[in-house]
Amino acid sequence: MHQINLSIRYIYLTKTAGFGGWEFDGLYYDSQRYSLEDNIVVRFPKLIKAATEKAECVREDMKTVDKGLLTEPEFAITVRGVKFKERVDGGTSMLEAISKCKNGETTH
């Protein structure tokens, strides 16, 4: 009887860990299935929402750029309230400001 209990525990542990051969595929399949269901129900909607919000921010930025090009055709960039007319200075300031932002942080 003791040997049977040990065998059952071994099978259960190997199934839940995803180890073993074809005879253990049942629980590994269930684990994969639950993981995929979780992705579909929780993870993917969050990723879609974040991508949609980012796309909306890009659209707003494009509108702002288009408006700026109509009024000022020459290069100019405003970073943290300072307007730069030289690309090198503006780019350097922008990269510095970006490096200080947290991932996913927006500034508008």
Side-chain angles (χ1 to χ4, degrees), residues 90-103:
T92 304
S93 179
M94 183 179 69
L95 290 175
E96 182 181 320
I98 290 171
S99 68
K100 293 179 182 176
C101 290
K102 294 180 182 174
N103 190 15

Side-chain angles (χ1 to χ4, degrees), residues 6-93:
L6 288 176
S7 296
I8 290 172
R9 285 186 184 165
Y10 173 77
I11 290 170
Y12 177 76
L13 289 174
T14 55
K15 281 183 179 181
T16 56
F19 300 121
W22 61 270
E23 67 271 8
F24 300 122
D25 285 344
L27 284 178
Y28 182 71
Y29 167 80
D30 288 342
S31 172
Q32 292 294 312
R33 180 176 170 220
Y34 295 138
S35 176
L36 289 172
E37 285 178 357
D38 187 53
N39 283 342
I40 291 169
V41 173
V42 177
R43 184 171 174 245
F44 293 155
K46 287 181 182 178
L47 290 173
I48 291 169
K49 182 180 177 187
T52 303
E53 290 173 357
K54 188 173 186 176
E56 185 59 36
C57 288
V58 169
R59 285 188 199 99
E60 288 177 23
D61 289 346
M62 289 172 55
K63 288 177 186 176
T64 303
V65 167
D66 288 342
K67 288 178 187 176
L69 287 176
L70 292 177
T71 59
E72 250 182 80
E74 296 296 320
F75 175 80
I77 185 169
T78 304
V79 180
R80 296 189 178 198
V82 179
K83 190 171 190 174
F84 296 93
K85 293 198 178 220
E86 294 296 321
R87 291 180 187 269
V88 175
D89 296 336
T92 304
S93 179

